[in-house]
Amino acid sequence: MTRTGEEAVAGVAAGVPAGVPAGAPDVAAAAPRRGRPRSEAAEQAIVGAVLRLLEQGYPLALLSIEGIAGEAGVGKATIYRRWPNKEELLLDVLQRLDEPEPDPALLSASVRDALVAALEFLRRAALARRSHSSLALISNELRSMPELYRRYHEKVIEPRRERMRQLLARGVAQGEIRGDIDLDLLGELVIGPMLSRTLLRPGAPLEDPTLSATIVDTLLQGLAPQPSADPV
């Protein structure tokens, strides 16, 4: 489950991005370098400072480079060498807080199993937000910062939508999904029930580990009553 607060800060201090389980590949080490060689200790201090300020109740819009630098014990120039502006820094932190994406091996499995994995990602992310008020607050505040929301949508949401389109297109090509419906509409039909429970009905139950499979199997089988077996 995603880590926040003290656990997230501890993870960052240990060099493990928040939201990445123990034993996972070293994502930070694989990340592209930004400009000149950077001090990992300084970067960890900056990310940890943002997490601490968020846990203390600072709204995203009120966070400043000056405040973050002061909390981290670094100069503003140290931050700007790694991130060009506050939005890019916050985007980086938000991505570290997010749930790990589904294993690519799952997304290349059967269409049914890949759809279940995609919905499981949404279910786990929603449970994490419910468990940590700061995560829910961050999610609610994103739209109040248009540039940050645009960049988050561009770097996080749209790639997920594209993966869903590709997955459904594979299902159509393999004859597992009807091909006379727009792929974006099909994607909305798949994720709509989970988004309804996570966004529109904040108190709706999400604990059932079979929920994602139930949604996918119901959609693939259709809503019409299943014919009863012929009597012997």
Side-chain angles (χ1 to χ4, degrees):
M1 192 63 65
T2 298
R3 297 165 298 169
T4 55
E6 294 181 359
E7 291 179 337
V9 174
V12 171
V16 181
V20 178
D26 189 349
V27 178
R33 294 283 179 176
R34 303 184 188 88
R36 70 181 69 181
R38 61 194 182 187
S39 162
E40 293 297 331
E43 179 164 314
Q44 292 161 15
I46 293 164
V47 172
V50 173
L51 293 172
R52 287 194 299 274
L53 290 171
L54 291 174
E55 283 294 313
Q56 293 167 19
Y58 282 86
L60 283 175
L62 295 184
L63 289 179
S64 67
I65 293 295
E66 292 82 358
I68 295 168
E71 177 70 21
V74 301
K76 291 190 295 181
T78 302
I79 295 179
Y80 283 122
R81 280 197 295 270
R82 291 154 177 80
W83 297 275
N85 50 52
K86 184 181 77 170
E87 284 73 22
E88 288 298 318
L89 168 56
L90 294 179
L91 178 62
D92 191 1
V93 174
L94 289 172
Q95 288 179 285
R96 295 175 189 233
L97 286 173
D98 212 346
E99 281 286 312
E101 294 283 350
D103 186 335
L106 288 176
L107 297 182
S108 62
S110 72
V111 172
R112 183 264 182 191
D113 290 348
L115 290 173
V116 171
L119 288 189
E120 269 298 282
F121 167 80
L122 295 178
R123 187 181 74 88
R124 292 195 308 268
L127 284 172
R129 287 194 298 272
R130 289 184 181 183
S131 300
H132 303 282
S133 59
S134 58
L135 279 179
L137 182 62
I138 291 171
S139 299
N140 293 335
E141 288 181 351
L142 271 177
R143 291 180 182 272
S144 69
M145 299 182 66
E147 179 59 20
L148 179 60
Y149 181 74
R150 183 190 69 79
R151 295 285 290 122
Y152 186 78
H153 193 279
E154 176 186 89
K155 292 192 68 173
V156 178
I157 303 301
E158 186 52 39
R160 291 174 186 166
R161 288 171 56 87
E162 179 57 28
R163 286 194 293 272
M164 177 63 73
R165 292 187 198 103
Q166 294 175 2
L167 174 57
L168 292 170
R170 177 157 62 90
V172 172
Q174 295 174 182
E176 300 177 60
I177 297 176
R178 57 189 292 182
D180 59 334
I181 300 178
D182 176 76
L183 291 178
D184 282 327
L185 177 56
L186 281 175
E188 290 166 0
L189 289 172
V190 172
I191 68 173
M194 192 67 78
L195 290 182
S196 173
R197 289 195 173 209
T198 60
L199 298 178
L200 302 180
R201 301 169 54 205
L206 287 171
E207 292 76 15
D208 182 0
T210 68
L211 176 61
S212 297
T214 299
I215 292 173
V216 170
D217 289 339
T218 300
L219 287 169
L220 292 178
Q221 294 166 12
L223 296 178
Q226 298 298 303
S228 58
D230 293 333
V232 178

